[in-house]
Amino acid sequence: MPKKSVENTALRLKAVLEVLARQDPSAEKKTSRADVLRQALEQVPLEGTEAELLASGVARGERALVTATTKLVKAGWILKEGRAGWSITSEGRSALSDFPDVEHLHAALSGSEHSVTAVTKAEAHSEAVLEEALVVSDAAAEPAASVHGAHADEHYDGPSFPQPNAVAVPGTFGSALGGEDWDPSSDAVQLGFDRSDELWKLSVDLPAGSYEFKAALNRSWDENYGEGAHFDGANYQMGHAGGPVTFLYDHATHTVVTKPDGL
């Protein structure tokens, strides 16, 4: 990841904490995921290649930010509660107070006391500490040329952020694929994970028509995403002229896009 993008992602993570710290702890409604990301990106806008759209239809910089927020969750600084929204923990508020500058904040986020000391003694190395702390690589954000499980390297350490066990696109076309309509457990609508670009994909042939669908995880409706990547949101609407179509699901952003002509 270019140095500027690493710095921007670090600033946006700090902005996420600041956005959540401003919400009233006694308020019944928490800040939605979409609002948190929007405010963080308004505070630190996308620059250059960060604004480029990936295959999932999401900007490169936004996907890097969403991936990096998993570090905040693992550190116990924020909570992601699906439809209920995101919130900051007491540990997250303390982190903002204890580490007011972005270098120290993200050195602490890496979980290494040595990293914090290193930044204090040698600010010239702060960029390297930041990159280690974020652990957000270009491989997680940029699609590779090969698809459907291929990977450029023989050694694969697993996805850069946690993935579900299964992803499906149940909808009104399930029966046309030999399964049942709106059945998240049907094999006919299960996507496969492509580790080259960390997207879930399914290519099928569908008759011409208008269809509705959602993304459902782990073969049930317990966790599902609809239009606008909203948890338990409205159905996606798709008009199809007939023939091949590819569904792509990005778990970093919970977004589904379709490629009418396949890949």
Side-chain angles (χ1 to χ4, degrees), residues 5-24:
S5 295
V6 171
E7 293 173 347
N8 284 344
T9 301
L11 290 169
R12 291 175 190 128
L13 279 181
K14 187 171 187 291
V16 166
L17 288 175
E18 292 170 341
V19 167
L20 294 176
R22 289 195 294 268
Q23 71 181 9
D24 182 356

Side-chain angles (χ1 to χ4, degrees), residues 4-215:
K4 186 61 175 177
S5 295
V6 171
E7 293 173 347
N8 284 344
T9 301
L11 290 169
R12 291 175 190 128
L13 279 181
K14 187 171 187 291
V16 166
L17 288 175
E18 292 170 341
V19 167
L20 294 176
R22 289 195 294 268
Q23 71 181 9
D24 182 356
S26 64
E28 185 174 330
K29 184 175 177 59
K30 298 180 176 67
T31 307
S32 71
R33 170 187 178 279
D35 283 343
V36 174
L37 297 177
R38 175 182 56 77
Q39 292 182 57
L41 291 170
E42 285 177 353
Q43 188 167 322
V44 187
L46 299 176
E47 300 182 33
T49 57
E50 293 182 325
E52 293 177 356
L53 295 182
L54 299 171
S56 60
V58 176
R60 185 186 304 276
E62 181 178 351
R63 189 171 195 262
L65 171 60
V66 175
T67 303
T69 61
T70 61
K71 291 277 179 189
L72 299 177
V73 175
K74 290 179 180 179
W77 291 0
I78 71 170
L79 296 174
K80 296 180 179 180
E81 300 177 84
R83 183 186 297 178
W86 290 11
S87 60
I88 191 169
T89 65
S90 58
E91 291 83 359
R93 292 182 186 276
S94 295
L96 278 175
S97 175
D98 295 340
F99 309 106
D101 60 275
V102 71
E103 289 87 358
H104 288 81
L105 181 74
H106 291 289
L109 186 59
S110 72
S112 169
E113 292 181 4
H114 173 74
S115 295
V116 177
T117 303
V119 173
T120 303
K121 291 182 176 180
E123 291 295 334
H125 298 297
S126 60
E127 292 85 0
V129 174
L130 268 177
E131 187 145 15
E132 179 183 358
L134 290 172
V135 196
V136 181
S137 67
D138 265 344
E142 184 173 2
S146 55
V147 296
H148 296 298
H151 197 271
D153 301 321
E154 293 183 3
H155 181 69
Y156 179 60
D157 293 325
S160 61
F161 54 94
Q163 297 288 335
N165 294 323
V167 176
V169 282
T172 56
F173 46 74
S175 56
L177 298 177
E180 298 290 335
D181 288 349
W182 296 110
D183 180 5
S185 66
S186 172
D187 290 338
V189 293
Q190 301 299 315
L191 284 65
F193 183 65
D194 184 345
R195 68 189 192 189
S196 68
D197 53 13
E198 301 199 338
L199 297 177
W200 293 77
K201 303 175 182 179
L202 173 67
S203 295
V204 296
D205 280 294
L206 285 177
S210 296
Y211 300 100
E212 297 183 17
F213 67 93
K214 298 179 77 172

